[in-house]
Amino acid sequence: MAKLIEIDDAADPRLDDFRDLTTADRRPDRPGGRGLVIAEGVVVVRRLLHSAYPLRAVLGVPRRLDELRDDLADVDVPAYATSAQTMSDVVGFHLNRGVLAVADRAPAPSFTDVVDGARVLAVLEGVNDHENLGSMFRNAAALGVDGVLLGAGCADPLYRRSVRVSMGHVLRVPFTSVPEWPGALDVLRRHGFHVAALTPRSDAITLRDMRKAGHERVALLLGSEGHGLSRAALDAADSAVRIPMESGVDSLNVATAAAVAFYELTR
Amino acid sequence: MAKLIEIDDAADPRLDDFRDLTTADRRPDRPGGRGLVIAEGVVVVRRLLHSAYPLRAVLGVPRRLDELRDDLADVDVPAYATSAQTMSDVVGFHLNRGVLAVADRAPAPSFTDVVDGARVLAVLEGVNDHENLGSMFRNAAALGVDGVLLGAGCADPLYRRSVRVSMGHVLRVPFTSVPEWPGALDVLRRHGFHVAALTPRSDAITLRDMRKAGHERVALLLGSEGHGLSRAALDAADSAVRIPMESGVDSLNVATAAAVAFYELTR
């Protein structure tokens, strides 16, 4: 059972994990970055409470903590109750979701952990936009993708904004960074995966035709919004696949394209 | 050929169409709202230049105007060149896209104009989030939806943020508001459309099964992010369809769900 503690002083050091979030957690790898996992809002906080990440504390207005009462019954951390104003003073901006939870990072699963038993994987290269990255995890969770591998140049899925946009699904969908890029694609192939690179190129085969080939395991390679996949990654794939699109139209947003592809591949 | 005019005074009245955008164009129906169509950035400005909307003027930094040189050759309006600082002073915020175009609204096409010849239509109810609305138009354009009908409670697709998020496709995909809601769904049915309501309900049939039924014309009914479709709209539909999703997962973002459905229906 979480221990409910009322705090009305924004300077209380027990709230330091939640302090100045716009600057402190911006880049965990930078000086001052604390590298904590931060969940915002009832839905995402709930996912963090039920995740494997070691919870440190919860901070919220009484109404939101009350909504989480059943979830807080199972955890043994302080739950700080305060006013919306004190919360704003602590975090450094107005937080209209009214509740935050903070956890330590946990060791990422191994490549083998993510790959074993998976039928469809998403493999990302250069996805350095936190919102696109978060959306991809939400879409992967909704449509039944078994795991996500992060290739070169990807942002940190555990950054606050990614966690929020993913609706907390980065805390549930297994993911890990791959050490060798694009060498990891060969390793996937040896594990029986067909590696398909999603591209807008008109000479690629359609997703549907690729699915009809009946590959048992598929690793879908997705690039960044602006630049797409690198030459090296495209060359290392078994096939180039596309979503049929109207001519003269910009490609879909990368997370939307991923959703369409996940839908086609996971049925 | 657009007439290039250099301006270095932010108070110049010739720039009034572009002034204080965050407040002035927020709601065209509110006092002070000018109801103009505003395009931001090279890609979207280009779409506005080639659209049916009556162009009034272009404002940009020289580099961006230069990128648009060929497009500006075909239009007969002033193109004001200025510095990034003067642009910021005029519009009221820093505009990192560096170019804007403004046009008058044009009369919306009639219901018949949008419906005639269409095979797949999107019919929206309560989509009052400008970004979701813009994304839906982008997805509709990319995936070949023939038109969009706006039912009760939808936001204005021509609002600046929708135009931007749509990548300018609200300026290309035919759309109109329907006068009677949900009565318009009966009219669609009389035009030979199968009206399918997208819902997360588990007792709905899958999109794929609906597609296999081979309806010649489909009107896909889409609700808002938070509340979904109204009871009245669901009751007026011919079928309830769903995207198969993992249990325990929030439904996809409404624009993403729309993209998946458009993909399935337009193939």
Side-chain angles (χ1 to χ4, degrees):
Chain A
M1 178 71 198
K3 192 173 166 195
L4 198 70
I5 301 167
E6 288 184 33
I7 292 189
D8 57 12
D9 175 10
D12 192 310
R14 289 173 293 179
L15 302 184
D16 282 356
D17 277 358
F18 301 98
R19 203 169 299 287
D20 299 330
L21 290 186
T22 43
T23 49
D25 76 333
R26 201 164 191 83
R27 285 285 300 270
D29 51 335
R30 294 263 174 87
R34 286 188 294 251
L36 298 171
V37 179
I38 292 164
E40 301 165 77
V42 168
V43 171
V44 181
V45 165
R46 187 173 283 140
R47 292 229 156 86
L48 183 59
L49 296 183
H50 296 284
S51 78
Y53 292 89
L55 201 67
R56 293 167 62 95
V58 177
L59 169 66
V61 298
R63 188 169 138 225
R64 298 298 171 216
L65 292 178
D66 200 52
E67 284 181 62
L68 288 162
R69 195 168 12 173
D70 291 349
D71 309 277
L72 289 170
D74 301 329
V75 297
D76 184 27
V77 295
Y80 301 113
T82 190
S83 66
Q85 184 57 54
T86 303
M87 254 185 107
S88 297
D89 293 344
V90 172
V91 302
F93 56 91
H94 176 68
L95 191 96
N96 59 15
R97 289 177 178 78
V99 64
L100 290 164
V102 60
D104 285 313
R105 290 182 175 236
S110 70
F111 182 85
T112 310
D113 288 341
V114 175
V115 167
D116 274 2
R119 205 186 67 76
V120 177
L121 290 173
V123 188
L124 314 185
E125 182 189 47
V127 179
N128 56 12
D129 177 282
H130 285 110
E131 300 204 7
N132 282 337
L133 189 61
S135 297
M136 283 179 163
F137 273 87
R138 180 180 180 183
N139 299 342
L143 294 162
V145 169
D146 302 303
V148 176
L149 295 171
L150 305 173
C154 291
D156 175 5
L158 293 177
Y159 172 62
R160 181 166 56 90
R161 190 139 40 96
S162 297
V163 174
R164 183 179 70 226
V165 174
S166 82
M167 302 289 280
H169 289 298
V170 296
L171 308 171
R172 291 183 47 189
V173 177
F175 73 88
T176 198
S177 293
V178 301
E180 277 191 75
W181 189 258
L185 301 178
D186 287 328
V187 183
L188 284 171
R189 192 174 298 109
R190 287 201 297 275
H191 279 76
F193 281 87
H194 177 84
V195 180
L198 191 67
T199 157
R201 273 170 35 192
S202 58
D203 59 343
I205 62 168
T206 66
L207 269 171
R208 193 158 291 166
D209 283 343
M210 193 269 281
R211 179 172 61 85
K212 285 180 184 159
H215 305 291
E216 245 173 64
R217 312 182 87 181
V218 176
L220 183 73
L221 187 51
L222 297 154
S224 74
E225 180 88 356
H227 303 284
L229 290 164
S230 69
R231 188 74 255 164
L234 281 166
D235 287 347
D238 296 308
S239 65
V241 296
R242 68 183 167 88
I243 297 168
M245 270 188 260
E246 298 297 298
S247 62
V249 171
D250 315 84
S251 58
L252 294 167
N253 161 279
V254 64
T256 307
V260 168
F262 296 162
Y263 168 77
E264 183 67 54
L265 298 178
T266 55
R267 294 307 105 217
Chain B
M1 179 69 200
K3 192 173 166 193
L4 198 70
I5 300 166
E6 288 184 32
I7 292 188
D8 57 12
D9 176 10
D12 192 309
R14 289 174 294 180
L15 302 185
D16 282 355
D17 278 358
F18 301 98
R19 202 170 301 286
D20 299 329
L21 290 186
T22 43
T23 50
D25 77 331
R26 201 164 189 83
R27 287 284 300 270
D29 51 335
R30 294 260 175 88
R34 286 188 295 253
L36 298 171
V37 180
I38 292 163
E40 301 165 76
V42 168
V43 171
V44 181
V45 165
R46 187 173 282 140
R47 292 229 156 86
L48 183 58
L49 296 183
H50 296 284
S51 78
Y53 292 89
L55 200 68
R56 291 166 63 95
V58 177
L59 168 66
V61 299
R63 189 169 137 225
R64 297 299 171 212
L65 293 178
D66 200 53
E67 283 182 61
L68 289 162
R69 196 169 11 175
D70 291 348
D71 308 275
L72 289 169
D74 300 329
V75 297
D76 184 25
V77 296
Y80 300 113
T82 191
S83 66
Q85 183 58 54
T86 303
M87 257 187 103
S88 297
D89 292 344
V90 173
V91 304
F93 56 92
H94 176 68
L95 192 96
N96 59 15
R97 288 176 180 80
V99 65
L100 290 165
V102 60
D104 286 312
R105 288 180 177 239
S110 70
F111 182 84
T112 309
D113 287 342
V114 175
V115 167
D116 274 3
R119 204 187 68 74
V120 177
L121 290 173
V123 187
L124 314 185
E125 182 189 47
V127 179
N128 55 12
D129 177 283
H130 286 109
E131 299 204 7
N132 282 338
L133 189 60
S135 297
M136 282 178 163
F137 273 88
R138 180 180 181 183
N139 299 342
L143 295 161
V145 169
D146 301 303
V148 175
L149 295 172
L150 304 173
C154 290
D156 175 5
L158 293 177
Y159 172 64
R160 182 166 55 91
R161 191 141 38 98
S162 297
V163 174
R164 184 180 68 225
V165 174
S166 82
M167 301 290 279
H169 289 297
V170 295
L171 308 170
R172 290 184 47 192
V173 177
F175 73 88
T176 198
S177 293
V178 300
E180 278 189 74
W181 190 258
L185 301 178
D186 287 327
V187 182
L188 284 171
R189 191 174 299 110
R190 288 202 296 276
H191 279 76
F193 281 87
H194 178 84
V195 180
L198 191 67
T199 158
R201 274 169 33 192
S202 59
D203 60 342
I205 62 168
T206 66
L207 270 170
R208 193 159 289 165
D209 283 342
M210 193 270 282
R211 180 173 62 85
K212 284 180 185 158
H215 305 291
E216 245 172 65
R217 312 181 87 181
V218 175
L220 183 74
L221 188 50
L222 297 154
S224 74
E225 180 88 356
H227 299 95
L229 290 164
S230 69
R231 187 74 254 168
L234 281 166
D235 286 348
D238 296 309
S239 64
V241 296
R242 68 183 167 87
I243 298 168
M245 269 188 260
E246 297 298 298
S247 62
V249 171
D250 314 84
S251 58
L252 294 166
N253 161 281
V254 63
T256 307
V260 168
F262 296 162
Y263 168 77
E264 183 67 54
L265 298 178
T266 55
R267 293 308 106 217

